[in-house]
Amino acid sequence: MNWLGSLQQFGRAVMLPTMALPSAAILLCVGSLPWAAWGIPAVADVCTWAGQGIFYFLPYLFAVGVAWGLANQAGPAGLAALAGMFIYDQITRHLGNGDIQPATLIGIIFGAIAGIVYNRFKYIKLPEVVQFFGGSRFVLLFMGLFSAMFSWVMLFITPFLQRGLNELTLLMTHMGGFGLLLYGILYRILTAFGLHHLLNNVFWFQLGSFKTPEGQIVQGDLPRFFSGDPTAGTFMAGLFPIMMFALPGIALAIIQEAREDLKPKVKKTFLTAALVCFLTGVSEQIEFAFLFAAPYLFVLHAVLSGIAMWLTYALDIHHGFSYSAGAIDFVLNFHLSHNAWLLIPIGIGYGLVYYFLFRWAIRRFQIPTPGREEGSTLDDWAGNIPYQAPLILEALGGKENIVQVESCITRLRLTVKNDRMIDSNALKMLGSAGLIKLGGGNVQVVFGTYSELIREEVNKLMQRDLPQVLFCAPVQGRMLPIEEVPDHIFAAKLVGDGVAFMPERGELVSPVLGTIMHIYPTMHAIGISTPEGLEVLLHIGIDTSQLKGGHFTAVVQEGDKVSPGQLLVKFDLAYIRSHASSLATPMVITNPERVKSWSFAPFRIVKKGQASVMSVVLHDRNVGGLE
């Protein structure tokens, strides 16, 4: 695993504990309401202490979350990291001078050590007399000893570390708006690689310190903001105009520049994306719509984001969030902000600039944003994920190619054996907004806010050894449901069940691994038997059996072994279009009683031999006499 891939995994792990922060923000907001005037002051006390409790124990959450993330959700790693934090707290509290308190950075260190040790020694074998401490239990023993030594050393070096953080705070203070500009640019660029959480952890959870009225020391722009520090919120305020207005402006530009025939679907998808971004600040679905198609626009977007940070600093605007810079956090935390009302006119101005700028750029440079080309990401994923998951797994190279699959809010984060086996076209057809290869087998696939659900379904498939057959596209053209074939026999599934295609080229290839079972005399249809016992019929066009003159040429013979993508038949596309009832080419399984469940890719344009257009799960393993 190279350094970029390691950072990807670490960034994902660091992000995990922040998922507890929205609940803290809601509790603090509810606690700030005038419950005493309403006669129930206890509600304010409960909500306030509950919200503050999450921030107080945030270092412990980071320790468990980082260890859990790095160790692929292994419980012993998280338990070991938590034990390390308890040891650190006791040693620094009783042997220190009172200035050392558990910090987020310490939690991350313990979590990272516990995760690394677990991955390295989870299968370790010790001498028989102490084998009780072998395997995954070794990490608990190790962390207990390591934490004690580490905590003792920290008693001596913490003052120097604190001095370093103070110097960094002073440096950022002296840089003023320019420092915010650099932060904003770097934040947006790292977002493309999924590494922005590493940057944010320094500024949101490490930079600056504030002593609460209760005497607690909190560090970082985010905890200080929620603890009432009037100087906090500078590293978050500038993100609100971008998330709430600028990126939705891009979504509207994409809708307006879409082709008229695709505009209804584009409108549905990107109005939803704009609303999600406005409310929650989840922006990847919009950003990845133009990131790969026009990276220079993404660079401009990064610069404009940095300018927004500088502008909010110059206007002395302080605002913060627990999750992201969306309208929900804007409203929930408004009572803690300063000059936050200025974010609305700034945001409206940014939205207009982004809208007109992107409309002009898309039209001027013919940028293939969604809706301007047939392979756009337009489907509604809700309800389809269990059926799409087998095809997604196949597009990722199959179960054998997957080493690890995780997810964050908007993307799958994978480690694969060979990233060249990933079919980017198939992933795009299945709903992916982008594919990022970081090297060393580390890849990210952007699926939007359904990524976590997709990960769960893919993991279920990884854990089950299902008797499954996967089909690639037998022709280049548009895929359509079998019910839409203009022939009653096929449409009523009297021959078998499956899908159909409207070919654009005169070549038919094998969709599966198998043996040529039968070639019709006119060569317009061909039958294939798979090793699993499925019988597949490919029928070129409708009412083509009566065509004379050798318009079909088979390049295989009965009994030949064929593999997916191998050429089977060449045919005269123009002649068939003119003389046949239809070009519709069914691909059906003629013994569908062997099939337990079916999965179909979206019915769009496909390439010849493209993987993951159909997947079936068989009723049992012992099919066709094969073990």
Side-chain angles (χ1 to χ4, degrees), residues 508-530:
L508 180 78
V509 301
S510 176
V512 290
L513 176 71
T515 303
I516 301 299
M517 183 173 56
H518 184 65
I519 301 177
Y520 287 76
T522 53
M523 303 182 190
H524 74 287
I526 193 168
I528 303 174
S529 175
T530 73

Side-chain angles (χ1 to χ4, degrees), residues 22 30 45 48 89 92 119-120 157 189 198 203 223 231 336 352 354 380 398 487 494 522 528 531 551 607 620:
V30 173
D45 294 335
T48 300
D89 176 70
T92 55
N119 290 333
R120 177 65 179 84
I157 67 173
I189 292 175
L198 299 178
F203 291 95
T231 66
L336 297 172
L352 292 173
Y354 268 63
D380 183 2
D487 179 83
L494 300 179
T522 53
I528 303 174
H551 302 290
K607 294 183 178 181
D620 53 54

Side-chain angles (χ1 to χ4, degrees), residues 149-367:
M149 182 61 66
F150 178 86
S151 303
W152 179 70
V153 173
M154 286 298 294
L155 294 174
F156 302 97
I157 67 173
T158 293
F160 300 100
L161 294 176
Q162 186 61 55
R163 189 179 306 168
L165 287 174
N166 292 339
E167 292 295 331
L168 180 59
T169 305
L170 290 175
L171 175 63
M172 295 304 300
T173 302
H174 289 315
M175 293 181 71
F178 183 69
L180 271 296
L181 170 71
L182 295 179
Y183 167 78
I185 294 174
L186 191 57
Y187 173 89
R188 287 260 71 86
I189 292 175
L190 290 177
T191 298
F193 299 96
L195 302 176
H196 51 297
H197 303 294
L198 299 178
L199 177 74
N200 293 338
N201 187 266
V202 174
F203 291 95
W204 292 356
F205 298 104
Q206 310 297 333
L207 198 61
S209 60
F210 174 69
K211 190 171 185 178
T212 66
E214 295 80 16
Q216 178 189 355
I217 303 297
V218 293
Q219 291 182 314
D221 202 47
L222 193 152
R224 288 191 292 115
F225 175 79
F226 283 98
S227 297
D229 185 352
T231 66
T234 55
F235 289 94
M236 295 180 284
L239 296 175
F240 283 98
I242 303 299
M243 301 299 191
M244 291 175 58
F245 297 96
L247 286 165
I250 296 176
L252 294 179
I254 290 174
I255 292 171
Q256 292 300 318
E257 291 301 318
R259 286 172 15 201
E260 289 301 322
D261 59 325
L262 292 178
K263 187 171 289 187
K265 290 184 178 180
V266 174
K267 185 176 181 180
K268 176 183 177 182
T269 298
F270 278 89
L271 279 182
T272 301
L275 182 62
V276 169
C277 189
F278 175 78
L279 291 176
T280 68
V282 175
S283 62
E284 277 88 344
Q285 186 173 4
I286 298 174
E287 289 180 309
F288 276 86
F290 66 91
L291 170 61
F292 298 106
Y296 49 86
L297 278 181
F298 192 84
V299 173
L300 179 60
H301 167 49
V303 174
L304 290 173
S305 299
I307 294 175
M309 300 291 296
W310 194 339
L311 185 60
T312 55
Y313 174 82
L315 295 175
D316 192 30
I317 301 174
H318 299 264
H319 203 357
F321 47 79
S322 62
Y323 175 67
S324 188
I328 294 176
D329 261 300
F330 181 88
V331 173
L332 283 177
N333 309 321
F334 189 83
H335 65 288
L336 297 172
S337 65
H338 177 68
N339 287 337
W341 66 271
L342 290 172
L343 294 173
I344 302 300
I346 293 173
I348 293 173
Y350 255 80
L352 292 173
V353 169
Y354 268 63
Y355 172 75
F356 289 110
L357 173 64
F358 272 77
R359 280 206 68 177
W360 172 82
I362 292 170
R363 186 178 304 174
R364 173 66 177 81
F365 301 107
Q366 294 297 305
I367 299 172

